Amino acid sequence: MNKRRIAAMLLSLTLGGIPSYAATVNVVAIGQFPVVTDPSNLLPFPHPSSDTKLVLSFSYESATADSDTDPNVGLYVGAISSITLSIGETTLPAYASNKIDVYDDRTLWDGSSLVDMWAAETFLLDPTSNIRMNYALVLLGPGNSIIDSDELTLPVYPAQWPGGYIWAGVDDASNPDSSQWVSLAGLQAGLESIQVTVVPLPPTGALLATGLLAIGRNLWKRSRQRSP
């Protein structure tokens, strides 16, 4: 097989696995009037007063693949590239893990009626104590009215989602069934606003195609130079 054919095959196979569009989505959510339930002082920050503003900032990659085969559940593990939560003067860094969940007409863990949900979460599970800590942006709406698929759409609020909140909590996650986890402490703040900025990434496919074509052209030139 000659070098031009090898280069052409490499180009075809590589481009076949590249998404046609990708972007970094920057989100800034602001919450207000936090309500705290923390009888044992487990939350990793001072309890805020009722007039404290919360700012949850994160970025995620729109081309992240859905790892859940359920057509009504989108599970985008590791989609979030950076995330912080500021509660007054305290800023919480990202925990070890993150994900974005998108539910389309799905019954929630508490058995409530069908809802649509968009939730961006960072979390840490201590395998020794089975204590799980997290904070998240959660958007909720009645089923059949918000989204029509489990795709990773933009979190447009309030124009699209009628309700939402910022959450930080501590759970007893010793039960393998997540619907049976016990909340040990939590903070919930009503959502005031969300600002979304989309930053398109370079067209990876086009850049790679250009590079591979250049390689193929160089191989072709070298083969001609070596020909008698």
Side-chain angles (χ1 to χ4, degrees), residues 1-25:
M1 184 180 292
N2 62 41
K3 294 178 179 179
R4 279 187 295 171
R5 184 171 298 177
I6 293 173
M9 290 180 62
L10 180 61
L11 174 62
S12 175
L13 290 172
T14 306
L15 292 183
I18 296 175
S20 59
Y21 174 76
T24 296
V25 181

Side-chain angles (χ1 to χ4, degrees), residues 54-129:
L54 280 73
V55 180
L56 176 56
S57 302
F58 63 95
S59 299
Y60 71 87
E61 307 306 317
S62 68
T64 304
D66 181 1
S67 59
D68 196 309
T69 57
D70 188 326
N72 295 100
V73 177
L75 176 58
Y76 301 91
V77 177
I80 300 171
S81 54
S82 64
I83 185 169
T84 59
L85 174 61
S86 295
I87 305 172
E89 301 299 320
T90 303
T91 298
L92 301 181
Y95 289 126
S97 303
N98 72 76
K99 62 187 176 75
I100 296 177
D101 294 311
V102 181
Y103 288 180
D104 174 31
D105 300 339
R106 180 79 173 180
T107 301
L108 291 183
W109 52 87
D110 61 359
S112 58
S113 57
L114 294 179
V115 297
D116 290 342
M117 183 183 79
W118 197 107
E121 177 192 27
T122 181
F123 58 93
L124 174 66
L125 176 63
D126 184 338
T128 302
S129 64

Side-chain angles (χ1 to χ4, degrees), residues 6 33 39 49 67 110 118 125 128 135 139 142 155 159 171 191 210-211 219:
I6 293 173
F33 309 124
S49 61
S67 59
D110 61 359
W118 197 107
L125 176 63
T128 302
Y135 62 84
L139 301 174
D171 295 318
L191 197 58
T210 301
L219 290 173

